Amino acid sequence: MTFQYTILTPLRKVLNSWSQPLADPNGCPQSFYGVVCDDGGGSGSGSVAAIVLDGLGLAGELKFATLNGLRMLKNLSLAGNSFSGQLVMSLGTMTTLQHLDLPENQFYGPIPARINELWGLNYLNLSSNNFTGWFPTGIRNLQQLKVLDLHSNEIWGDIQDLFSEL
């Protein structure tokens, strides 16, 4: 996983587990700390279903494009770290994503319009970062969305406009 090379960590347990050789280089790295695999339909090879690395003091500029190959990713949870970087347009291609939890980091820039292409998203928390601008129009596409938390960013505009789309 190229994703690992963007992470700086004081916790050896994360990177130590991520440096182990994989039995199947095409399979899911289920021995990696914070990586959850699906069962692969009983085949055992599976795909990465979740990356959960909350509150570990991880830092570095996260290159979201490195996650594009994870076609079955449902949960990306990196809350309470010190990651930085921008959300990229290609995030909208991760159509299996249901839970995106990125609060309390140092992400910055505008929220890309393609986030509204994540039709299965039911949880979106981008709070306590440095996002700027307005939430892109088209949030009405997120019909499964149950939780939206954008507080403590530099997002502005008329909240009534956002709610009128929900």
Side-chain angles (χ1 to χ4, degrees):
M1 282 186 8
T2 309
F3 170 70
Q4 77 189 59
Y5 299 113
T6 65
I7 298 176
L8 305 173
T9 176
L11 300 173
R12 299 301 315 158
K13 67 182 175 182
V14 174
L15 290 185
N16 283 348
S17 75
W18 286 25
S19 63
Q20 302 299 316
L22 295 175
D24 177 4
N26 297 317
C28 182
Q30 60 192 8
S31 62
F32 285 17
Y33 184 91
V35 174
V36 178
C37 301
D38 68 9
D39 66 1
S43 69
S45 62
S47 300
V48 176
I51 298 174
V52 180
L53 298 170
D54 296 337
L56 295 173
L58 304 175
E61 183 159 348
L62 187 60
K63 307 288 186 200
F64 282 93
T66 62
L67 300 173
N68 286 345
L70 303 177
R71 296 286 177 212
M72 300 308 292
L73 188 66
K74 293 179 181 144
N75 179 355
L76 178 60
S77 188
L78 305 174
N81 287 290
S82 294
F83 286 119
S84 64
Q86 290 188 294
L87 294 182
V88 294
M89 294 298 276
S90 61
L91 185 67
T93 65
M94 300 176 74
T95 56
T96 57
L97 206 55
Q98 297 172 0
H99 186 100
L100 183 58
D101 193 26
L102 305 177
E104 300 175 22
N105 281 286
Q106 298 168 18
F107 296 117
Y108 59 89
I111 298 169
R114 290 195 67 190
I115 202 163
N116 291 320
E117 295 176 23
L118 300 176
W119 299 291
L121 202 61
N122 57 48
Y123 183 94
L124 177 59
N125 186 347
L126 303 177
S127 65
S128 300
N129 280 286
N130 297 306
F131 291 112
T132 57
W134 181 235
F135 195 87
T137 59
I139 193 171
R140 67 183 159 277
N141 293 338
L142 303 180
Q143 304 233 341
Q144 304 301 315
L145 195 63
K146 303 286 186 252
V147 174
L148 173 64
D149 191 344
L150 302 171
H151 83 274
S152 298
N153 281 289
E154 296 175 35
I155 298 172
W156 62 86
D158 187 349
I159 194 73
Q160 194 169 14
D161 290 343
L162 181 63
F163 286 140
S164 70
E165 286 198 45
L166 295 175

